Amino acid sequence: MDLFEYQGKQYFARYGIPVSPGGVADTADEAVAEADRAGYPVVVKAQVQVGGRGKAGGIKLAGDAAEVRRHAEAILGMDIKGHVVRRLWIEHASDIAREYYASFTLDRSAKLHLGMVSSRGGVDIEQVAAEEPDAIARHHIDPVEGLTAEAAASLVGRAGLDKEAREGAIELLVKLYRCFVEGDAELVEVNPMILTPDGRVHALDAKVTLDESAAFRHPEWAELTNFQDLDDRERLAREKGLNYIGLSGTVGIIANGAGLAMSTLDVVNQVGGSAANFLDVGGGANADVMANALEVINTDDNVRSILVNIFGGITRVDEVAKGIVEALGRVKLRAPIAMRLDGTNVAEGRALLADHQSDRLISLPTMLEAARKAVELAGGAGGTR
Ligand code: GDP
Ligand code: MN
């Protein structure tokens, strides 16, 4: 799970990593109130989960309330690489002497944590890595030993950070590593980590990805997910515990297993249609899960047909069929269903559905035929919003 910058900074702050004081704002009025609180000058920062906000015009300095209002109005609603800005972070502006880069992540091939530090901060680090790989100092960390102050000092030294910044950078790195490990993150990145003219080192930006497998020991993460900018369909799917991703086509998809769900999307594309979503009901999907899946798809205004593609292994086709029948009773489906059911207990499943077959519920023997039918029901090829 990726955090927004402001959430990342709040996370950092818990581990004593220095960040600038600030607050979130969803309107220009709130932005001015937060700026008054943080003290001028301030930075008005678009909260979207994509890098390069500065270059896109999503980060602006403001010297007074009028300027904050002007920037806030311009940035709210702005589209940054397909992400619409709905929230701002307003913080007291920092004076910058130098911009550096620091991160910790997991190096899967080395099976070790990897720390990276560079004196080329504030710019696209991928570009630095490609053009000047030596400008990034790397250090693999033994997870049992942790990051020692000596190792942090070596990183900072090899990265060539300015002398005035070294002590502060070492301190920040040790805290950042604790945040990474104890905070169960997959990535913590500070770009830029700055040196101020008066010799302090702090985090001017924050990118944090949390390891969702560790969510069970972080009840406090529940509130983080509420802030994610999911659309209504995705929010309902999350409430129902479904593995769903909203797309922009017209054929609603339900399949079991991520692989089959992806193949189903491909086949729909192949026969000239477009998927409205990805939805994997998982192995062992029961009637309730199926009914929930249909309910979520039913909230999507763009859906013109529904393609159910189930291959029963652990999943039993009769359970799936029960779910479809249950959903037919629970919600008035907005679109007809084309389905391909096969595998475990397929005969029982088909028998259960026999009474319900109509031009709104059509069973086909193969995935390809069912996909063709679904696309035809959706109004043929080329239907997107
Ligand atoms: P990104 O473009 O999405 O990575 O957003 P950042 O938060 O990293 O900000 C981009 C750039 O804006 C930074 O590299 C800085 O040069 C500038 N910037 C951000 N905050 C401040 C600030 O408090 N003071 C000054 N002077 N510049 C800032
Ligand atoms: Mn940045």
Side-chain angles (χ1 to χ4, degrees), residues 53 191-192 205:
R53 295 166 300 161
N191 188 22
D205 193 2

Side-chain angles (χ1 to χ4, degrees), residues 25-156:
D26 296 341
T27 64
D29 283 341
E30 286 173 20
V32 171
E34 287 303 335
D36 288 346
R37 206 166 305 161
Y40 296 92
V42 296
V43 209
V44 180
K45 308 187 79 175
Q47 296 302 290
V48 283
Q49 289 175 336
V50 62
R53 295 166 300 161
K55 272 188 206 152
I59 292 177
K60 296 283 185 200
L61 286 162
D64 56 41
E67 227 178 328
V68 169
R69 182 173 301 281
R70 191 153 52 77
H71 290 316
E73 281 169 357
I75 296 173
L76 281 168
M78 183 185 272
D79 186 310
I80 300 181
K81 300 178 188 167
H83 298 247
V84 177
V85 182
R86 305 233 173 269
R87 183 164 277 188
L88 303 169
W89 170 252
I90 315 291
E91 71 176 28
H92 183 67
S94 305
D95 285 332
I96 303 175
R98 291 293 307 267
E99 300 191 57
Y100 310 122
Y101 172 93
S103 70
F104 290 102
T105 185
L106 174 67
D107 182 346
R108 287 174 197 279
S109 54
K111 298 179 184 165
L112 289 169
H113 293 156
L114 174 65
M116 288 191 276
V117 178
S118 175
S119 55
R120 304 268 201 293
V123 291
D124 188 359
I125 197 67
E126 280 78 15
Q127 195 180 332
V128 176
E131 291 169 6
E132 288 174 274
D134 293 343
I136 302 172
R138 293 157 210 269
H139 175 66
H140 280 106
I141 303 140
D142 182 322
V144 176
E145 190 175 76
L147 182 76
T148 61
E150 292 72 35
S154 149
L155 259 173
V156 162

